[in-house]
Amino acid sequence: MTELTLVGRHQNALIALAVHAFTASGIVLAMLAAFAAYNLDWPAFFMWLGLALVVDGVDGPIARKVSVESRLPTFSGAALDFVVDYVTYVFLPALAVATAGFTSIPIALALAGVIVFTSAMYYGDTRMKMKNNAFRGFPVVWNGVVFLYFVFDLNQFAVIGITLALSVLTFAPIAFVHPVRVEKWRPVTLAVTLAWFLFAGAALAWRLNPPIGVEIGLALSTAYLSLVAAVQQLIEKFFGAKAA
């Protein structure tokens, strides 16, 4: 093996490790979010989770662009991504539900337990993606759901009902959109996703107590993102149109 070949392999490994390190930075952001939760600083908590969400949205395309699997086949980026995602999408939002005072402590702990348990089962299901890249069942994006609990200051009955309903829908054969990978209506979906993030950022700027216009924008964009894939699924079922 020539020295030039060895140098090339080392460069490939370093490039792949840099991408994986970027993915792993999400867990550092998660730690900062956990510290904010410890201090009951919920705007800071969701700010750190929002930054982790940005990292999660960017690292995948970068990894595919530079072909990290071929550059460093001994390292599983998918396993690393699952670890970070579970903490940021599931565990920390469940912690917020348990400690933010939406319900009594026993009920809050029960709801948090339901979230972490059903989500762990979901992560183990190899059928979580449909052929058109939509998610099968509610894709355990509890960071977004719990964020909305705070913004809309929901009462305990709404929190209990929504949490239990989404936990059941986690295992239902109902499609939920992946904003980037589902091709059908993708321009509209991407535009609505961007709008959701803009409204969410505005809500954070108002420390989770935004004006009514921001709340309406969040509600409408959330409704679209929650229902669009199911609508496509129904169209395909009853009219034979492809949902991808």
Side-chain angles (χ1 to χ4, degrees), residues 117-156:
F117 177 79
T118 56
S119 299
M121 297 297 291
Y122 183 79
Y123 270 77
D125 191 345
T126 59
R127 305 169 304 157
M128 68 163 63
K129 287 287 185 68
M130 294 180 168
K131 290 182 179 180
N132 68 335
N133 288 319
F135 293 103
R136 185 189 305 274
F138 170 65
V140 299
V141 286
W142 289 106
N143 47 356
V145 172
V146 176
F147 173 73
L148 295 175
Y149 288 174
F150 279 84
V151 171
F152 291 101
D153 193 23
L154 298 183
N155 62 46
Q156 64 172 333

Side-chain angles (χ1 to χ4, degrees), residues 95-212:
L95 176 66
V97 170
T99 58
F102 288 113
T103 69
S104 65
I105 292 177
I107 294 176
L109 290 174
L111 292 176
V114 168
I115 290 172
V116 296
F117 177 79
T118 56
S119 299
M121 297 297 291
Y122 183 79
Y123 270 77
D125 191 345
T126 59
R127 305 169 304 157
M128 68 163 63
K129 287 287 185 68
M130 294 180 168
K131 290 182 179 180
N132 68 335
N133 288 319
F135 293 103
R136 185 189 305 274
F138 170 65
V140 299
V141 286
W142 289 106
N143 47 356
V145 172
V146 176
F147 173 73
L148 295 175
Y149 288 174
F150 279 84
V151 171
F152 291 101
D153 193 23
L154 298 183
N155 62 46
Q156 64 172 333
F157 300 107
V159 169
I160 293 169
I162 293 171
T163 301
L164 294 180
L166 291 178
S167 297
V168 172
L169 287 175
T170 298
F171 305 105
I174 298 173
F176 284 80
V177 73
H178 189 298
V180 176
R181 295 189 180 182
V182 174
E183 294 181 3
K184 190 173 182 64
W185 306 349
R186 183 158 58 187
V188 176
T189 300
L190 287 174
V192 174
T193 301
L194 175 60
W196 192 95
F197 276 103
L198 291 175
F199 288 124
L204 277 177
W206 265 285
R207 297 191 61 81
L208 304 179
N209 188 29
I212 187 65

